[in-house]
Amino acid sequence: MIPRVKTCGLSRTEDIVVANELRPDCVGFVFWPKSRRYVTPEAAAELRVLLSPDIPAVGVFVDEDPTVVADLLQQGTIQVAQLHGHEDETYIAALRQTTSAPIWKA
């Protein structure tokens, strides 16, 4: 298997410029307010516009309301949801009913 690279915690325009130059397999936006790398959905949407369209954005969540995750996927701010909290199979099943996007459970 070939390793894939995700650059995570992007929160500034400068981060996007570097990501566009380095071409990681995907980038990550952290939507957990307790993280020092937290970005608001609005800021992530602004950054996504600057990101090369062929670099998928991953949203990193911890026990977030599934409607928030689904909204970010449906709006195109992110293309993948990465779950780091206590999300169980019921949570994931509910999220899968709203989207066909990849869901990664850490």
Side-chain angles (χ1 to χ4, degrees):
M1 181 187 319
I2 298 172
R4 296 189 59 190
V5 175
K6 178 180 83 164
T7 303
C8 198
L10 281 68
S11 61
R12 304 171 304 156
T13 301
E14 301 85 33
D15 300 334
I16 300 298
V17 170
V18 171
N20 286 336
E21 291 174 7
L22 296 179
R23 315 293 305 166
D25 294 304
C26 54
V27 300
F29 297 128
V30 178
F31 293 103
W32 187 46
K34 293 182 181 181
S35 171
R36 65 182 176 86
R37 296 180 292 172
Y38 169 73
V39 293
T40 65
E42 297 79 17
E46 292 173 11
L47 293 170
R48 177 64 202 163
V49 170
L50 302 174
L51 184 64
S52 178
D54 61 332
I55 301 174
V58 177
V60 178
F61 302 94
V62 178
D63 300 325
E64 182 61 75
D65 182 317
T67 59
V68 172
V69 178
D71 286 346
L72 288 164
L73 287 163
Q74 291 165 354
Q75 294 165 5
T77 302
I78 59 172
Q79 289 67 52
V80 178
Q82 183 175 344
L83 310 175
H84 281 269
H86 298 94
E87 302 88 358
D88 58 14
E89 289 302 318
T90 302
Y91 177 103
I92 294 169
L95 188 55
R96 288 197 191 283
Q97 289 181 350
T98 66
T99 183
S100 61
I103 300 170
W104 300 343
K105 176 64 177 143

